[in-house]
């Protein structure tokens, strides 16, 4: 799954410099949602699904791509009906989102789009 | 949306920015803890409970000692606060990790503080503390504990308005004590009770809405 490899490691960015792993609506939503958590926190699969609005199958697919890229980690606790899968953004994932945001700002600036906000 | 911002025929930069803003806002709102419920609970109980107590004791001579109204008030306040805290905890649903533990320990500190107040008051009574002193303690301690609770909340969640409010409660509690065993109830009812209700009204505006740094297009 070459597309899902870390763009920094593989050197594969789009022509615009945007990370193709993040640059997909569903994965962008996932990463942004997890980034809204505080450092060291994780989110259950079901709450993430609720916030993103994807089917379980689609969410699993996108999470797998992000996990392959090293941007998120998933942990499964318990077994059977009490099993809880949690998802957490890695430091690499947070850095990748920061980089993605910076590139996006640059693109919007150069295109005469809305000015980037100074606050982060 | 400018064609210049489109990326290889895929999602455009402006579209990506819009998704980021929308999802960031949605997630932050979902994870944001609102203290409104506990502000209303504490505010109503402080304003009405302390106010009614003040009306009952303001002309009492000699000063009445620790009274059942005060104990009942603190008990109701504790239960109401716990219920409000439970409702506030809904924003934590599905969230695991350090934040959840921080919040649990923090709430535990409030419960321990209020429980310790009862025990301490009993110890003071047993040690022979005068009734007016116990009366003042009974009125001010819950407000002081609440103030310290919100002050430490602000440190945990980096919420400066909450820090200001915590300080206000602490100052109101300590300052109110100087009004004496009669006046303390009235002073605390106004300073703390109205403070809580004011915070409940202002809270939605005061919530932090830090974005990811992309303005709406």
């Amino acid at each position: 799954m070459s597309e899902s490899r870390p763009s920094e490691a593989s050197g594969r960015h789009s022509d615009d410099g945007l990370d193709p792993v993040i640059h997909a609506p569903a994965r962008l939503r996932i990463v942004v949602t997890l980034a809204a958590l505080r450092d060291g926190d994780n989110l259950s699969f079901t709450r993430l699904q609720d916030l993103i609005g994807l089917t379980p199958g689609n969410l699993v697919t996108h999470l797998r791509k992000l996990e392959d890229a090293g941007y998120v980690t998933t942990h499964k606790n318990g077994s059977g009906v009490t099993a809880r899968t949690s998802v957490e953004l890695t430091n690499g994932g947070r850095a990748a989102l920061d980089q993605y945001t910076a590139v996006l700002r640059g693109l919007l600036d150069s295109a005469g789009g809305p000015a980037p906000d100074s606050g982060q | 949306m400018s064609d210049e911002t489109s990326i290889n025929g895929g999602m455009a930069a402006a579209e990506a920015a819009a998704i980021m803003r929308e999802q960031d806002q949605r997630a932050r709102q979902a994870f944001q803890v609102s203290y409104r419920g506990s502000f209303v609970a504490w505010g109503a109980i402080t304003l009405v409970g302390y106010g009614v107590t003040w009306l009952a004791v303001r002309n009492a001579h000699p000063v009445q000692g620790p009274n059942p109204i005060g104990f009942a008030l603190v008990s109701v306040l504790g239960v109401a606060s716990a219920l409000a805290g439970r409702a506030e905890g809904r924003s934590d649903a599905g969230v695991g990790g350090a934040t959840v533990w921080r919040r649990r320990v923090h709430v535990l500190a409030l419960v321990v503080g209020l429980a310790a107040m009862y025990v301490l008051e009993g110890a003071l009574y047993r040690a022979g503390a005068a009734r007016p002193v116990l009366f003042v303690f009974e009125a001010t301690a819950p407000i002081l504990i609440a103030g310290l609770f919100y002050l430490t909340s602000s440190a945990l969640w980096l919420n400066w308005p909450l820090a200001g409010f915590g300080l206000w409660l602490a100052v109101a509690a300590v300052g109110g004590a100087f009004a004496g065993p009669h006046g303390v109830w009235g002073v605390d009812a106004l300073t703390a009770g109205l403070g809580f209700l004011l915070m409940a009204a202002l809270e939605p505006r005061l919530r932090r809405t830090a974005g990811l740094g992309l303005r709406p297009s």
Side-chain angles (χ1 to χ4, degrees):
Chain A
M1 199 183 297
S2 61
E3 184 205 46
S4 60
R5 291 288 157 212
S7 52
E8 291 293 335
S10 63
R12 290 184 69 242
H13 284 278
S14 70
D15 292 343
D16 306 82
L18 288 167
D19 185 339
V21 178
I22 296 179
H23 192 66
R27 292 197 290 279
L28 185 56
R29 286 186 186 279
I30 292 169
V31 173
V32 167
T33 300
L34 295 175
L37 292 169
R38 291 169 191 277
D39 284 343
D41 284 353
N42 57 57
L43 194 61
S44 71
F45 182 89
T46 49
R47 183 90 195 271
L48 180 60
Q49 189 195 338
D50 185 46
L51 288 169
I52 304 294
L54 287 176
T55 63
N58 276 335
L59 183 54
V60 166
T61 302
H62 288 296
L63 283 176
R64 200 167 287 151
K65 289 185 178 180
L66 290 167
E67 198 170 15
D68 286 346
Y71 292 170
V72 303
T73 55
T74 59
H75 299 282
K76 190 171 183 179
N77 299 317
S79 59
V81 292
T82 60
R84 178 189 188 272
T85 300
S86 58
V87 187
E88 184 175 355
L89 195 65
T90 63
N91 289 336
R94 207 171 281 272
L97 180 61
D98 288 344
Q99 171 73 11
Y100 180 88
T101 305
V103 173
L104 200 55
R105 277 186 198 158
L107 285 172
L108 291 171
D109 274 347
S110 62
D117 203 341
S118 58
Q120 171 88 3
Chain B
M1 183 187 308
S2 168
D3 287 343
E4 292 171 281
T5 63
S6 68
I7 296 137
N8 298 334
M11 182 170 59
E15 186 186 351
I19 288 173
M20 288 182 76
R21 276 192 305 274
E22 189 259 333
Q23 190 64 30
D24 180 58
Q25 191 175 15
R26 180 191 295 181
R28 287 182 191 280
Q29 280 177 353
F31 300 143
Q32 180 80 50
V33 175
S34 167
Y35 288 99
R36 205 170 193 187
S38 58
F39 284 149
V40 171
W42 283 71
I45 291 166
T46 309
L47 188 63
V48 177
Y50 276 50
V52 167
T53 303
W54 176 71
L55 290 173
V57 305
R58 61 182 171 154
N59 294 320
H61 294 286
V63 172
Q64 294 170 3
N67 65 13
I69 297 175
F71 278 107
L73 193 68
V74 175
S75 302
V76 171
L77 193 148
V79 171
S81 174
L83 290 175
R86 192 176 175 83
E88 288 161 3
R90 282 180 198 145
S91 63
D92 282 339
V95 178
T99 294
V100 175
W101 282 105
R102 268 191 220 117
R103 200 184 305 285
R104 284 176 185 166
V105 172
H106 193 219
V107 171
L108 181 65
L110 176 66
V111 174
V112 168
L114 290 173
M117 192 203 82
Y118 280 114
V119 177
L120 190 57
E121 188 170 357
L124 290 172
Y125 180 72
R126 196 173 174 196
R131 289 190 166 189
V133 173
L134 294 175
F135 214 34
V136 170
F137 177 84
E138 191 177 292
T140 56
I143 307 297
L144 182 60
I145 290 167
L148 296 177
F149 173 77
Y150 287 118
L151 197 55
T152 51
S153 294
S154 72
L156 282 176
W157 318 120
L158 298 179
N159 186 324
W160 299 115
L162 213 53
F165 180 59
L167 275 174
W168 167 255
L169 286 181
V171 170
V174 174
F178 286 93
H182 291 111
V184 64
W185 296 98
V187 172
D188 282 356
L190 290 176
T191 55
L194 291 180
F196 275 118
L197 295 179
L198 184 65
M199 279 299 286
L202 294 178
E203 204 255 6
R205 288 187 192 177
L206 295 175
R207 276 191 218 170
R208 299 182 72 196
T209 51
L212 279 171
L214 294 163
R215 283 188 198 136
S217 54

